[in-house]
């Protein structure tokens, strides 16, 4: 209770493919190579590097997923499902750990939240990430499909009492019971999509045993699986054993520098056939000269990728993921796939915002490097100073990291930042 009276720690996790140095005064989160505590909370909205996707603001305890995931990762490539993924903290973490030939499917059942999830993965910039907007039961259409499933389950939120005052007013014993029932339904719905020998990682931000230990015992009683103990140890993390001898790990804010959190993992031991692919196309692009000529100036090593056209938009994916793309798009609602390149206008590409923030963008694309003040003006869709005699599309960048597109015309500059990405805060007061 004394710990809950203290200010909540502020922590960020750095994007390893958009490298930045930790802020001055930052200290490391013990269980991750990428997480850092900040000495104070800045106004993240007014940091252009935040909008460029160089880091994610994430509660430190939940970053422990990295340590557990590294332990259960097998040889890549892997197919990984983050089932309850919005707003994207754990998905961006998983994306950082996976190679490009692995595939990350991040799902959110609530449609507006799936949009936030897609935006955060867009900022992260990796090509191996897809976003779906489906109920957990829909994944039963893909039996034995995934190697690892992460379920950060909706919960009563008691572990966030210090960080979120609204969680206190919304908490009740009745809500705990409802959450426990919902968590069991979610796990039962998604269990068939995990292959035999695959790993389920379950977590909550709740203190209640009904949502944690009791759910683990229900799972092991309902399905053939084996509890996985964490192989390492960190000071302050409490290992618990349930009545059925399952392992779980609790984070208490008086013992670690973080919020309340619970995590456990199971390996599936019941018979489960792997998903049998029946696709209509191979991984290579057809010989389409117009598209090849249009995309080549924008993408480094275009020949290494495949692209897909849908309703006039072009999406860049790894060729290895074309079968998965077909299967997922046929069975689920696919909101984001790989990197959206943009649309064609005659022989030319109109680049999408996703391309501006991606890690596949060619280093030869013209850039306008701007100051922090001008970066914020761009992010507010206001006029800003620039110097260039070259007309056409330019990437606005801050400290070498892309923020979005502008098009330089003879007498003006057009800002193509999507309107729903615009900063609404008054930057003059900060």
């Amino acid at each position: 209770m004394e710990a809950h009276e203290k200010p909540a720690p502020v922590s960020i996790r750095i994007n390893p493919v958009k490298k930045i140095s930790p802020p001055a005064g930052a200290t490391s989160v013990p269980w991750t190579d990428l997480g850092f505590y900040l000495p104070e909370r800045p106004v993240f909205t007014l940091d252009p590097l935040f909008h460029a996707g160089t880091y994610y603001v994430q509660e430190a305890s939940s970053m422990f997923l990295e340590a557990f995931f590294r332990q259960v990762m097998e040889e890549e490539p892997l197919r990984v499902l983050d089932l309850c993924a919005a707003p994207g903290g754990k998905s961006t973490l998983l994306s950082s750990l996976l190679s490009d030939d692995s595939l990350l499917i991040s799902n959110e059942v609530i449609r507006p939240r799936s949009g936030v999830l897609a935006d955060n993965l867009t900022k992260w910039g990796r090509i191996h990430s897809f976003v779906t907007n489906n109920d957990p039961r829909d994944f039963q259409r893909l039996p034995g499909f995934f190697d690892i499933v992460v379920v950060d389950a909706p919960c009563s939120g008691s572990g966030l009492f210090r960080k979120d005052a609204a969680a206190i007013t919304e908490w009740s014993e009745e809500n705990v019971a409802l959450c426990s029932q919902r968590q069991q339904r979610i796990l039962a719905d998604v269990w068939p999509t995990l292959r035999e020998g695959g790993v389920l990682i379950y977590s909550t931000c709740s203190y209640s045993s009904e949502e944690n230990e009791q759910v683990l015992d229900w799972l092991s009683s309902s399905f053939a699986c084996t509890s996985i103990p964490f192989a390492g140890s960190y000071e302050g993390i409490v290992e618990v054993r349930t009545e059925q001898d399952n392992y779980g790990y609790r984070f208490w804010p008086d013992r670690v520098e973080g919020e309340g959190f619970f995590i456990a993992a199971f390996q599936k031991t019941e018979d489960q056939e792997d998903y049998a692919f029946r696709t209509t196309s191979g991984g290579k692009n057809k010989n389409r000269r117009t598209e090849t000529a249009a995309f080549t100036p924008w993408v480094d090593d275009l020949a290494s990728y495949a692209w897909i056209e849908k309703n006039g938009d072009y999406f860049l994916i790894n060729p290895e993921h074309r079968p998965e793309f077909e299967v997922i798009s046929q069975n689920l609602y696919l909101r984001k796939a790989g990197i959206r390149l943009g649309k064609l206008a005659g022989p030319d590409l109109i680049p999408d915002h996703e391309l501006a923030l991606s890690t596949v963008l060619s280093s030869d694309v013209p850039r306008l490097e701007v100051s922090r003040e001008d970066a914020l003006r761009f992010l507010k869709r206001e006029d800003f100073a620039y110097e260039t005699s070259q007309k056409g599309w330019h990437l606005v960048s801050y400290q070498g990291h892309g923020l979005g597109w502008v098009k330089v015309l003879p007498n003006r500059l057009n800002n193509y930042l999507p309107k729903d990405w615009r900063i609404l805060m008054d930057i003059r007061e900060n």
Side-chain angles (χ1 to χ4, degrees):
M1 293 303 295
E2 290 178 0
H4 278 80
E5 298 299 322
K6 299 177 181 178
V10 181
S11 50
I12 64 171
R13 182 173 37 77
I14 290 175
N15 188 340
V17 294
K18 296 184 177 183
K19 297 178 180 178
I20 60 170
S21 299
T27 56
S28 296
V29 176
W31 40 84
T32 169
D33 296 333
L34 303 173
F36 295 89
Y37 298 106
L38 304 186
E40 60 183 5
R41 187 178 187 87
V43 183
F44 292 111
T45 303
L46 299 183
D47 182 5
L49 291 176
F50 171 72
H51 298 274
T54 64
Y55 66 89
Y56 190 95
V57 183
Q58 186 176 24
E59 196 281 307
S61 295
S62 64
M63 296 184 199
F64 185 71
L65 172 63
E66 176 181 333
F68 226 141
F69 190 84
R70 287 187 184 277
Q71 176 182 321
V72 302
M73 281 180 69
E74 298 179 356
E75 185 176 348
E76 295 190 81
L78 296 169
R79 290 197 291 267
V80 179
L81 171 63
D82 185 6
L83 183 67
C84 310
K90 291 181 176 61
S91 280
T92 54
L93 185 154
L94 295 168
S95 176
S96 296
L97 302 178
L98 293 169
S99 60
D100 273 347
D101 57 350
S102 288
L103 180 64
L104 173 64
I105 306 298
S106 299
N107 180 73
E108 173 56 42
V109 64
I110 301 173
R111 186 172 179 83
R113 286 171 56 84
S114 71
V116 175
L117 172 63
D119 287 349
N120 281 323
L121 282 167
T122 290
K123 290 180 183 178
W124 220 241
R126 299 291 297 279
I127 195 170
H128 61 201
S129 299
F130 290 13
V131 174
T132 55
N133 175 208
N134 286 83
D135 188 274
R137 73 172 68 91
D138 295 340
F139 287 88
Q140 294 181 14
R141 303 167 190 162
L142 306 176
F145 190 85
F146 291 101
D147 301 293
I148 300 177
V149 173
V150 176
V151 180
D152 184 41
C155 66
S156 62
S158 52
L160 301 179
F161 279 175
R162 176 171 62 174
K163 186 179 177 182
D164 183 6
I168 299 175
T169 60
E170 295 171 357
W171 189 92
S172 69
E173 292 184 5
E174 292 77 11
N175 190 33
V176 169
L178 288 172
C179 286
S180 180
Q181 295 170 10
R182 178 169 55 183
Q183 290 151 3
Q184 293 172 39
R185 180 188 73 81
I186 289 172
L187 292 172
D189 284 344
V190 78
W191 187 255
T193 201
L194 185 65
R195 68 165 174 83
E196 181 182 352
V199 173
L200 171 77
I201 300 177
Y202 175 79
S203 65
T204 75
C205 53
S206 170
Y207 294 128
S208 302
S209 62
E210 295 92 334
E211 301 177 75
N212 298 317
E213 288 90 344
Q214 293 181 33
V215 170
L216 303 190
D217 284 349
W218 168 86
L219 182 69
S220 64
S221 298
S222 303
F223 304 100
C225 57
T226 302
S227 179
I228 301 175
F230 180 63
S233 64
Y234 292 94
E235 183 178 356
I237 299 175
V238 178
E239 181 183 272
V240 297
R241 302 287 289 272
T242 71
E243 292 182 0
Q244 297 186 21
D245 213 27
N246 295 309
Y247 293 89
Y249 297 86
R250 282 187 172 273
F251 292 67
W252 301 93
D254 61 322
R255 301 195 180 194
V256 299
E257 194 173 352
E259 304 308 303
F261 184 64
F262 181 89
I263 191 168
F266 288 86
Q267 186 169 39
K268 186 174 185 175
T269 58
E270 68 183 54
D271 293 339
Q272 173 73 69
E273 292 185 7
D274 290 348
Y275 186 85
F277 280 93
R278 298 180 180 86
T279 59
T280 59
S281 65
K284 298 294 185 180
N285 292 309
K286 295 178 181 178
N287 185 19
R288 293 178 289 186
R289 295 182 180 179
T290 299
E291 289 94 331
T292 300
F295 302 156
T296 295
W298 298 91
V299 177
D300 281 329
D301 194 17
L302 179 67
S304 297
Y305 303 105
W307 61 79
I308 294 165
E309 185 272 333
K310 186 174 181 181
N311 298 326
D313 281 311
Y314 286 85
F315 301 84
L316 198 71
I317 63 172
N318 280 331
E320 301 91 338
H321 295 159
R322 189 187 287 273
E324 284 92 340
F325 173 86
E326 291 190 11
V327 167
I328 292 168
S329 60
Q330 290 166 9
N331 289 279
L332 302 169
Y333 177 73
L334 186 57
R335 177 146 194 166
K336 169 180 163 57
I339 303 297
R340 187 191 298 261
L341 291 172
K343 298 177 180 291
L344 287 181
D348 300 320
L349 178 70
I350 302 175
D352 191 85
H353 189 61
E354 286 192 22
L355 181 59
L357 296 177
S358 76
T359 57
V360 303
L361 182 66
S362 172
S363 56
D364 294 331
V365 171
R367 283 163 165 77
L368 292 179
E369 180 69 18
V370 295
S371 65
R372 176 181 180 274
E373 292 74 18
D374 284 336
L376 292 174
R377 291 188 181 98
F378 167 76
L379 291 167
K380 286 182 67 67
R381 291 175 59 94
E382 295 178 349
D383 293 335
F384 63 92
Y386 66 95
E387 292 184 7
T388 181
S389 59
Q390 184 176 0
K391 305 299 184 290
W393 292 102
H394 287 68
L395 178 73
V396 177
S397 66
Y398 173 69
Q399 296 186 8
H401 299 285
L403 297 173
W405 298 112
V406 294
K407 192 170 187 181
V408 180
L409 302 175
N411 299 312
R412 70 180 191 279
L413 178 150
N414 286 350
N415 188 330
Y416 280 82
L417 183 77
K419 291 182 180 179
D420 55 354
W421 287 66
R422 179 169 61 98
I423 292 177
L424 299 177
M425 183 181 294
D426 190 346
I427 62 177
R428 293 170 297 181
E429 297 178 0
N430 294 270

